[in-house]
Amino acid sequence: MKVTVKKKENTIPVIIHTEFIKLQDAMKYANIVYSGGEAKQMILDGMVSVNGEVCTMRGKKLYPGDRFAFNGDIYLISIHAAG
C-alpha cells in the first residue's frame, strides 16, 4: 500500500484596498523585502512564482484571488471587505 502525505497549504493573506497591486509592491507590503530594489532582484532571479508559475515581471498586476509564493510561503491577495 502506497501512502502519500500531502502538506496542507497555508496561505498568508495580503489584504489590499485597491483593484490590484503590483508584485514588487505586494512583496514590500507583506514585509518580505525591505525595498523595491530587493524585490526586483528576487523576482528577476526567478525566486517568486505567481499562481504556480515562476514570474520575472516585477510589475505583474495581482488581483484578489491571485497567489504568489516566495521561500516556501504562499501569499493570497484578498480585498478588504467593507463592514
Side-chain angles (χ1 to χ4, degrees):
M1 170 191 268
K2 185 177 179 181
V3 177
T4 304
V5 178
K6 190 173 185 179
K7 184 178 175 184
K8 184 178 178 185
E9 180 183 293
N10 291 321
T11 57
I12 301 164
V14 177
I15 308 298
I16 62 173
H17 303 276
T18 57
E19 181 183 356
F20 65 86
I21 188 169
K22 292 183 180 178
L23 177 57
Q24 74 175 23
D25 295 334
M27 291 178 71
K28 289 190 299 187
Y29 188 62
N31 293 317
I32 298 170
V33 296
Y34 296 108
S35 69
E38 186 179 2
K40 175 184 174 181
Q41 194 57 55
M42 291 178 177
I43 294 166
L44 291 176
D45 287 346
M47 299 173 66
V48 182
S49 65
V50 174
N51 297 327
E53 295 184 16
V54 173
C55 180
T56 57
M57 300 182 306
R58 62 190 174 110
K60 171 79 173 160
K61 292 179 182 178
L62 303 177
Y63 294 89
D66 285 338
R67 298 170 189 263
F68 71 95
F70 173 75
N71 203 24
D73 293 321
I74 299 171
Y75 299 83
L76 173 64
I77 305 299
S78 300
I79 191 99
H80 179 268

